[in-house]
Amino acid sequence: ETVFEMINLTTYIKQLSRLGHTDQLNKNEFANLEDIITHSLELSSKKLTDLGIVILWNRDEFKGRVCGNELLISQVFINLITNTLYELRGYEDRWLKIWTKQKGDEVYVYFQDSGRTPDHEICEQMFTPYFSTKDLSQGTGLGLSLCKEILHKYDGDIDIIEKEANTTFCLKFKFYSLN
């Protein structure tokens, strides 16, 4: 199992290093969202459990594929989960809700946690490289900007929904149909 994880990590690092080289990314890659969400939650399960964060996720909402690389999309999801872990430390009510919606040729994945939506000024800057609300020892401020960059490479996007009382991120993907 450790060897398998090392191979996955090596593949992931190679793919991250190619982000700056759009011509080397395969825009014809397709990923199964359910598998990626499951895998991301499994990788984070010990920390989620240790902090008492309840996961609310309806697996039956979307059973399809989207344009993108599974490892890179997994990194986006893990980054959002990691941010949730950090954010919810000071809360008694701790939950993470994940849901999906398909609209035409686009699929939206929502990550909402029980934390309070940041102020507008913070929301405006949160996808800027090196911007962070965490202590320097807790992060580099690159996570959300990297998430945005990964999704843009596959004609997707990520944004925060400021009108929600709880922190809610919306990720947009291109739907891939087998037809």
Side-chain angles (χ1 to χ4, degrees):
E1 185 174 314
T2 303
V3 172
F4 180 71
E5 288 175 3
M6 294 287 286
I7 291 169
N8 274 345
L9 182 60
T10 303
T11 303
Y12 166 70
I13 291 169
K14 285 180 185 177
Q15 290 175 346
L16 274 183
S17 69
R18 293 182 188 143
L19 270 180
H21 308 287
T22 305
D23 57 321
Q24 293 182 13
L25 280 177
N26 182 357
K27 288 199 171 193
N28 293 319
E29 287 184 273
F30 307 103
N32 181 308
L33 274 182
E34 182 181 10
D35 290 348
I36 297 170
I37 294 170
T38 299
H39 180 70
S40 301
L41 289 171
E42 286 172 355
L43 287 174
S44 307
S45 66
K46 178 165 179 14
K47 290 182 179 180
L48 289 165
T49 302
D50 288 350
L51 280 176
I53 298 174
V54 176
I55 303 300
L56 307 165
W57 173 38
N58 183 355
R59 292 174 176 251
D60 296 326
E61 289 177 327
F62 176 77
K63 297 273 190 185
R65 298 173 73 79
V66 296
C67 296
N69 176 279
E70 288 192 11
L71 285 172
L72 293 176
I73 294 171
S74 179
Q75 178 58 38
V76 170
F77 291 174
I78 289 170
N79 183 272
L80 292 172
I81 293 167
T82 300
N83 287 351
T84 292
L85 289 166
Y86 180 82
E87 175 68 25
L88 296 185
R89 285 189 221 172
Y91 289 82
E92 287 186 34
D93 185 26
R94 298 177 182 156
W95 50 264
L96 172 63
K97 181 179 179 183
I98 302 169
W99 73 96
T100 57
K101 286 185 182 177
Q102 182 179 351
K103 296 179 185 174
D105 67 343
E106 295 176 336
V107 176
Y108 297 88
V109 179
Y110 297 87
F111 279 75
Q112 181 181 63
D113 66 42
S114 55
R116 186 178 63 83
T117 298
D119 294 332
H120 175 72
E121 294 76 23
I122 292 174
C123 290
E124 286 288 309
Q125 298 180 65
M126 66 176 26
F127 297 103
T128 304
Y130 304 107
F131 176 79
S132 180
T133 58
K134 300 175 187 172
D135 291 335
L136 290 176
S137 64
Q138 298 294 318
T140 61
L142 290 173
L144 289 174
S145 65
L146 185 58
C147 290
K148 194 165 198 76
E149 186 175 348
I150 289 169
L151 294 174
H152 279 180
K153 297 290 183 183
Y154 291 100
D155 300 322
D157 203 2
I158 181 173
D159 211 347
I160 186 163
I161 303 175
E162 291 185 58
K163 67 179 180 171
E164 292 287 336
N166 299 103
T167 305
T168 307
F169 287 93
C170 176
L171 292 75
K172 180 178 79 170
F173 296 92
K174 292 290 180 192
F175 172 66
Y176 173 72
S177 175
L178 296 172
N179 298 335

